[in-house]
Amino acid sequence: MVKFDLGGCSSFVKEGDYKEYVDKALLAFDVLESETGAGNDFLGWKTLPVDIPESLIQEFEAIQADWKAKGVDLAVVIGIGGSYLGARCAIEALSHNFARQLRKPGDAPEVVFAGNNLSEEYISELMDLMAERNCACIVISKSGTTTEPAVAFRIVKKYLEGRYGRKEASERIVAVTDAKKGALKTLSTQEGYRSYVVPDNVGGRYSVLTPVGLLPILIAGFDIRAMLAGAADTREALKARNADNPAVQYAAMRNLLHARLGKSVEILVTYNPKFVFLAEWWKQLYGESEGKEFKGIYPASVNNTADLHSMGQFIQEGSRIMFETVVTARTSSRTVVIGTDEQNLDCLNFLAGQRVEHCNAMAQLGTKLAHIDGGVPQMEVSVEKIDAYNLGSIFYFFEFACGISAYVLGINPFNQPGVEAYKKNMFALLRKPGYEEQTAAILKRIGE
Ligand code: PA5
């Protein structure tokens, strides 16, 4: 389960200021727990770890068995934002780094993602891959109307129907969408797809523990029961209303650093390539939840040690606008010991007998001390190891802390009004019916 350490902030903040912000966070905790704050009709995520019925998991396992019987070895998961990042984060974290290259017959289907961009090359090259493989598709859109996944699904659906026939294609497509409304719901009812619901009271970026995340993660071969158990245990631990609650501490410290020290950028720092998409998931969670009313901390990320050789310079000596939250696993599932070399031409014999993970830990500690010296406060979120249980714990910790933090900031964490602006312009430029006035205005603005 998640452990939290804010020792790397102690030299930056006054004890009294921190206590003041803990009190603010405890009031925000009350608002979240009493469900009396803005957006309180979107709090279904709080109890998901215990609400997901075993029967639903068994239905997912039936799909897995069905697709295995058909020989499916490629599952295309279509979705964007909250309808994809949680699943991608979990699958990347839990997969072998070289799973694709090491694939063998009988492995769980490889999961690839689509509908998260409008790149013609991406979708066309996805078709190249699908042509080589035995395919199925999970299409995910809560609203059922988002353009990027809708475009990708139109293309993938046509391909599957052309290749397998309409009936067989319908058995290879599963939809995850709203219970009643939206184009995807209409389509899946008409085509007879197996379909699962994104609950009304769960927003996209809080939906990883609904079918949105759970189904793709299970299809990729990972243990969603353990993931739910990790989230459930964390939920229990975070119920404590006190200053030792790590979610309260995290929410208090990040708001304090922002409000009193002008730290307006939070960098999520990881030391394992498996966590690159954890950072992407986290950035959406905090960016879309807090970046409103011209407020909020800008969520950024680096993956070390690679980024110590790129962004490390800026973090050490650039504008002093940031603090760091480091997410690590305390143990590695593999052991690699550096050997001795008689000639020692690479001058690395001083490391002989050391584990690579020890070097990683020393890089992390050295960076922490250097960054603190350079004026960058640091918090640390750690789990014992990277597995489904601990990932569930990380998901729940950051979701719960995000609710508290946004309420400290005075923001509704559960809407995203700003996302509409680009869509209106895009629809006007694409001449979507109903947007005629906006089309005329935008063409005039760009001089066409
Ligand atoms: O967090 C959110 O609500 C958004 O990021 C959505 O998940 C994203 O816009 C995709 O929406 P939909 O699932 O309706 O296609």
Side-chain angles (χ1 to χ4, degrees):
M1 204 182 335
V2 157
K3 279 192 183 168
F4 182 67
D5 177 6
L6 37 69
C9 297
S10 55
S11 57
F12 294 89
V13 298
K14 294 191 191 105
E15 183 78 23
D17 287 349
Y18 177 61
K19 282 203 176 110
E20 183 188 331
Y21 271 82
V22 166
D23 289 342
K24 286 180 198 275
L26 285 170
L27 290 176
F29 172 96
D30 293 338
V31 173
L32 186 62
E33 284 296 69
S34 60
E35 310 200 346
T36 49
N40 60 356
D41 46 346
F42 276 95
L43 293 173
W45 58 270
K46 283 173 55 188
T47 51
L48 282 172
V50 289
D51 286 349
I52 297 294
E54 172 62 22
S55 56
L56 184 66
I57 299 176
Q58 286 171 7
E59 282 187 44
F60 294 169
E61 285 170 337
I63 295 171
Q64 184 181 42
D66 180 24
W67 285 358
K68 188 171 184 184
K70 292 179 190 297
V72 168
D73 63 5
L74 184 79
V76 179
V77 174
I78 296 178
I80 195 166
S83 287
Y84 117 94
L85 283 166
R88 184 149 190 190
C89 159
I91 292 168
E92 301 247 342
L94 299 174
S95 294
H96 191 291
N97 277 300
F98 303 97
R100 180 167 301 173
Q101 292 86 342
L102 289 172
R103 269 196 77 74
K104 46 186 189 327
D107 280 353
E110 180 183 353
V111 169
V112 295
F113 293 88
N116 54 62
N117 61 65
L118 285 170
S119 159
E120 195 167 57
E121 280 162 343
Y122 188 93
I123 192 79
S124 171
E125 288 169 16
L126 173 68
M127 295 294 115
D128 293 345
L129 176 65
M130 291 180 74
E132 299 292 318
R133 306 283 287 271
N134 188 335
C135 311
C137 170
I138 302 171
V139 54
I140 306 170
S141 176
K142 183 177 182 190
S143 62
T145 55
T146 308
T147 308
E148 292 90 335
V151 167
F153 184 55
R154 179 180 276 220
I155 294 162
V156 168
K157 174 179 181 289
K158 191 167 179 211
Y159 172 79
L160 291 174
E161 288 176 349
R163 176 165 163 192
Y164 297 109
R166 200 161 160 192
K167 181 169 177 308
E168 175 65 15
S170 75
E171 291 170 14
R172 290 170 177 258
I173 295 170
V174 176
V176 181
T177 188
D178 187 83
K180 298 185 204 75
K181 57 181 193 315
L184 183 56
K185 177 68 198 163
T186 312
L187 194 62
S188 59
T189 307
Q190 181 192 296
E191 300 292 336
Y193 301 151
R194 283 173 282 205
S195 72
Y196 294 94
V197 169
V198 192
D200 280 349
N201 60 357
V202 180
R205 58 194 173 276
Y206 293 83
S207 69
V208 61
L209 300 177
T210 71
V212 170
L214 295 175
L215 178 58
I217 295 167
L218 180 137
I219 291 296
F222 300 111
D223 185 353
I224 60 173
R225 289 184 185 85
M227 187 171 286
L228 289 165
D233 288 350
T234 306
R235 164 76 186 136
E236 280 309 305
L238 297 182
K239 276 180 179 167
R241 189 200 185 279
N242 60 46
D244 295 329
N245 181 321
V248 169
Q249 293 180 338
Y250 176 55
M253 186 57 85
R254 63 196 298 281
N255 276 286
L256 168 58
L257 293 171
H258 183 207
R260 296 282 160 83
L261 273 75
K263 301 290 185 188
S264 54
V265 175
E266 178 175 5
I267 306 175
L268 196 88
V269 183
T270 53
Y271 281 83
N272 191 322
K274 288 177 189 252
F275 275 162
V276 167
F277 267 86
L278 172 65
E280 298 305 312
W281 171 83
W282 172 87
K283 284 193 281 193
Q284 189 209 358
L285 181 63
Y286 280 78
E288 232 174 43
S289 297
E290 290 193 327
K292 291 163 208 168
E293 302 175 23
F294 306 106
K295 296 185 191 173
I297 299 166
Y298 184 82
S301 67
V302 291
N303 187 248
N304 291 344
T305 59
D307 288 338
L308 289 171
H309 298 262
S310 55
M311 297 309 291
Q313 171 61 37
F314 193 105
I315 298 170
Q316 191 67 47
E317 293 182 342
S319 315
R320 300 297 71 195
I321 52 173
M322 76 285 280
F323 62 96
E324 294 180 315
T325 300
V326 181
V327 181
T328 52
R330 295 186 295 277
T331 56
S332 159
S333 64
R334 298 291 186 100
T335 302
V336 180
V337 177
I338 300 167
T340 314
D341 186 277
E342 237 174 62
Q343 285 192 294
N344 194 28
L345 291 178
D346 55 9
C347 304
L348 281 182
N349 272 353
F350 76 102
L351 291 177
Q354 305 274 13
R355 287 182 59 184
V356 174
E357 198 52 35
H358 176 69
C359 301
N360 202 18
M362 292 308 102
Q364 185 181 329
L365 182 55
T367 305
K368 175 181 178 175
L369 298 172
H371 287 183
I372 289 174
D373 291 346
V376 181
Q378 195 173 99
M379 294 182 264
E380 192 176 332
V381 175
S382 68
V383 287
E384 195 206 335
K385 57 183 173 180
I386 303 179
D387 64 8
Y389 177 90
N390 282 297
L391 215 49
S393 180
I394 293 175
F395 284 143
Y396 200 90
F397 169 77
F398 278 124
E399 287 177 355
F400 195 73
C402 187
I404 299 175
S405 183
Y407 282 148
V408 171
L409 199 61
I411 291 287
N412 174 357
F414 306 114
N415 63 4
Q416 52 284 329
V419 178
E420 294 310 309
Y422 98 91
K423 288 185 190 168
K424 282 186 195 142
N425 288 343
M426 179 177 74
F427 291 147
L429 289 163
L430 288 169
R431 295 173 160 79
K432 184 174 176 173
Y435 282 76
E436 290 75 11
E437 256 180 50
Q438 289 96 324
T439 300
I442 206 162
L443 291 181
K444 193 168 169 208
R445 178 176 166 188
I446 61 173
E448 279 188 19

